[in-house]
Amino acid sequence: MAFTVIIPARLASTRLPNKPLADIGGKPMVVRVAERAALSGATRIIVATDHESIRAACEAHGVDVCMTRSDHPSGTDRIAEVARALDLAPDEVVVNLQGDEPLIEPSLLAAAAARINADVPMSTCAHPLHDAADAFNPNVVKVVLDKHGRALYFSRATIPWARDAFAVETSALPAGYAPLRHIGLYAYRNDFLQAYPKLDVSPLETIEALEQLRVLWHGYPIAVHVTADAPAPGVDTPQDLERVRTLFKG
């Protein structure tokens, strides 16, 4: 399936200032992310930014870039602006890849894009959890699926709740129970991408602080590609950056 990858990148980061421009093996992080995206089979990769220094860094390394407004409330709004600027057809698929994922598995992008069709306007990814600490960590978002592999609900809570097993202990996960962890990678059909930012905020997303619940609340399906293994983590802190730099040195 043909798809376009759009990488929103902003300099605003409290934990790691100027994160998209952080050097990783001689190239800015956002360029490394674009290079990973290029391995996915995407027809086009473009960085969406509101900052001149990011534009200059991308152009210096041959990465397509599109300048956007600076007042977007979310990355979704930013990539929707770029999709309009590119004049993408309503049924074209757009993958939203965060600019702090220099180790992203390219096949995940293609897998998410492949789940989009005439009936499913949005998709994402997940993987099984095997550690109780992750299952009970509210910072680890879980998702439950229907028989068609579409999301029923996303939550910071431990879902589904293993009633009988957890009544005995919660220090370990029972045999055969592996809740799914949501991976924050999204694909959209372009017509839905344009409509998504205009949807009213839902009570569920306000409670859970999970924007994707807006989609389910309004009745739109989200397909979920389940991969066996956890993807490499993104870069949020200086410690994360040093870990990634070490990998590129190796």
Side-chain angles (χ1 to χ4, degrees), residues 22 33 49 60 64 82 92 129 131 138-139 149 166 173 192 199 210 213 223 235 245:
V33 175
T49 187
D64 286 344
V82 173
E92 290 197 50
L129 288 172
D131 184 83
N139 295 316
F166 290 159
L173 300 182
F192 179 71
L199 296 176
L210 297 173
L213 288 173
V235 177
R245 282 172 169 166

Side-chain angles (χ1 to χ4, degrees), residues 2-207:
F3 61 96
T4 295
V5 177
I6 302 179
I7 305 169
R10 299 189 65 205
L11 290 183
S13 173
T14 55
R15 289 187 289 181
L16 190 57
N18 299 324
K19 182 164 64 170
L21 299 177
D23 181 85
I24 298 178
K27 295 180 181 179
M29 184 189 309
V30 68
V31 171
R32 291 295 187 186
V33 175
E35 289 176 341
R36 294 296 287 175
L39 300 176
S40 68
T43 55
R44 183 180 341 198
I45 297 96
I46 187 164
V47 172
T49 187
D50 60 355
H51 205 280
E52 178 63 27
S53 62
I54 295 177
R55 182 198 64 79
C58 289
E59 291 184 346
H61 290 86
V63 174
D64 286 344
V65 61
C66 180
M67 298 297 291
T68 68
R69 294 182 358 227
S70 60
D71 58 347
H72 286 304
S74 72
T76 308
D77 296 84
R78 192 174 306 281
I79 69 167
E81 179 189 348
V82 173
R84 289 192 300 273
L86 295 174
D87 197 26
L88 298 183
D91 62 349
E92 290 197 50
V93 176
V94 176
V95 175
N96 180 359
L97 174 60
Q98 296 304 307
D100 57 3
E101 297 279 354
L103 301 177
I104 190 70
E105 176 55 50
S107 63
L108 280 181
L109 280 66
R115 296 299 302 270
I116 302 296
N117 56 48
D119 299 317
V120 180
M122 180 173 171
S123 67
T124 189
C125 301
H127 71 87
L129 288 172
H130 303 289
D131 184 83
D134 288 332
F136 289 98
N137 183 348
N139 295 316
V140 175
V141 177
K142 276 71 68 174
V143 59
V144 289
L145 311 181
D146 67 10
K147 68 177 183 179
H148 302 293
R150 299 177 182 179
L152 287 169
Y153 192 67
F154 296 86
S155 183
R156 297 181 182 278
T158 308
I159 56 172
W161 183 259
R163 186 195 66 172
D164 295 340
F166 290 159
V168 177
E169 69 164 340
T170 56
S171 60
L173 300 182
Y177 171 81
L180 293 176
R181 178 186 186 178
H182 176 228
I183 301 169
L185 172 72
Y186 297 102
Y188 311 88
R189 202 173 58 226
N190 185 40
D191 56 355
F192 179 71
L193 174 61
Q194 301 306 319
Y196 181 15
K198 302 173 187 176
L199 296 176
D200 291 337
V201 174
S202 76
L204 294 176
E205 72 174 289
T206 301
I207 293 169

